[in-house]
Amino acid sequence: MSYNLPYLKQLEAESIFIIREAFAQFENPAILFSGGKDSIVLVHLCRKAFYPSRIPFPLVHIDTGHNFLEAIDFRDYLVDKLGVKLVVGYVEDSIKEGKVTDEKGINSSRNVLQTVTLLDTIEKYKFDAALGGARRDEEKARAKERFFSHRDEFGQWDPKNQRPELWQLFNGKKHQGEHFRVFPLSNWTELDVWNYIKQENLELPSIYFSHIRSCFKRDNVILAYSDFMVLKDTETPVDMTVRFRTVGDMTCTGAVLSKASTIDEIIHEIEQSSTTERGTRFDDQRSEAAMEDRKKSGYF
């Protein structure tokens, strides 16, 4: 008699195995939490991995000061609900300490500044593994990551020098000062994540669902307006019916025009979409290798 799990159960089982491997191999892991759907799924999988005990890792959030308030509110709600520890690194602190400089001009963003704050936070709390919700299907640089992805003592990643992962053998050996990024959702797609959210009835920040928001359009990207956005003379915010496919810094995260207000409608919309999930991200458009360059220096 054959025994086959449904594909979402297979993905879930693989992810839980990787989470437990991280717990077994590292002394002080943490979960990188953005308030987005992927990190929410990751937290849910961690709950399952250690149930009925609480999640044994803290959540780490890097706050640029330019985040969506809906994501921050949801972060605090989830932390209270789960009773887990929250560690927040503030980009504003890195700016005040002179470690990074706020960008100026029309396309200024704090997105890339997060790298310094993230690495400082990892070093401050001596985390030796940072679990993230990144997936290989999101972007070509992320497709190069291993499940256990080594970072040197400077937090840097070398995509040409990665450890082989044969079968289900993961090598978490490291020297002092080095750490690993661990990606339990690597084999998931955007549609897998949404189908799993539906199956598990997971709560999400409201920005994933259709709503009316003051936005403006720049270089074919719809950006949410806020007081810290610098507008061109030709740009005027207008109310649009939108939702977001990703959650990141407001200055680089684009919205899509959408009337999808339920999980089923979102799944249908994604199935019909001809654009990629990160196609509306300004941070990926700065250069052909923008994501890989950021990741090499220690980005998420």
Side-chain angles (χ1 to χ4, degrees), residues 183 221 255:
F183 302 107
V221 176

Side-chain angles (χ1 to χ4, degrees), residues 15 38-39 41-42 45 132-136 183-188 193:
S15 297
D38 302 310
S39 54
V41 167
L42 177 58
L45 291 165
R135 311 184 321 268
R136 289 184 174 127
F183 302 107
L185 303 185
S186 280
N187 283 341
W188 296 53
V193 169

Side-chain angles (χ1 to χ4, degrees), residues 279-295:
T280 59
R281 292 288 294 251
F282 257 133
D283 46 340
D284 292 350
Q285 297 177 14
R286 290 198 168 192
S287 73
E288 181 67 23
M291 174 64 88
E292 183 159 325
D293 290 342
R294 293 199 305 274
K295 289 181 74 66

Side-chain angles (χ1 to χ4, degrees), residues 37 40-41 190-206 208-210 243 258-271:
K37 64 184 186 309
I40 290 169
V41 167
E190 181 187 17
L191 205 52
D192 293 335
V193 169
W194 278 106
N195 280 317
Y196 189 72
I197 288 169
K198 177 183 176 183
Q199 173 183 288
E200 302 294 306
N201 194 28
L202 300 184
E203 297 177 278
L204 293 172
S206 59
Y208 278 114
F209 302 94
S210 177
R243 74 175 194 87
S258 173
K259 295 182 179 179
S261 56
T262 67
I263 300 291
D264 284 331
E265 289 173 349
I266 290 172
I267 290 172
H268 178 72
E269 182 180 88
I270 294 171
E271 288 173 337

Side-chain angles (χ1 to χ4, degrees), residues 212-224:
I212 297 175
R213 182 182 288 267
S214 180
C215 299
F216 63 98
K217 202 168 185 178
R218 177 179 295 169
D219 298 334
N220 292 319
V221 176
I222 298 171
L223 292 170

Side-chain angles (χ1 to χ4, degrees), residues 99-156:
K99 294 181 176 178
V100 294
T101 303
D102 234 348
E103 294 182 345
K104 305 295 182 186
I106 295 294
N107 293 312
S108 60
S109 173
R110 288 185 172 181
N111 185 56
V112 71
L113 307 185
Q114 296 180 86
T115 300
V116 171
T117 310
L118 170 63
L119 295 180
D120 282 351
T121 304
I122 289 173
E123 182 177 2
K124 178 180 178 181
Y125 291 91
K126 306 299 181 188
F127 296 127
D128 58 354
L131 284 72
R135 311 184 321 268
R136 289 184 174 127
D137 82 317
E138 288 181 83
E139 202 277 336
K140 55 191 176 186
R142 288 186 167 170
K144 298 179 182 178
E145 293 270 23
R146 298 290 197 266
F147 287 114
F148 277 27
S149 200
H150 176 262
R151 297 297 190 270
D152 67 17
E153 60 183 315
F154 303 105
Q156 297 175 331

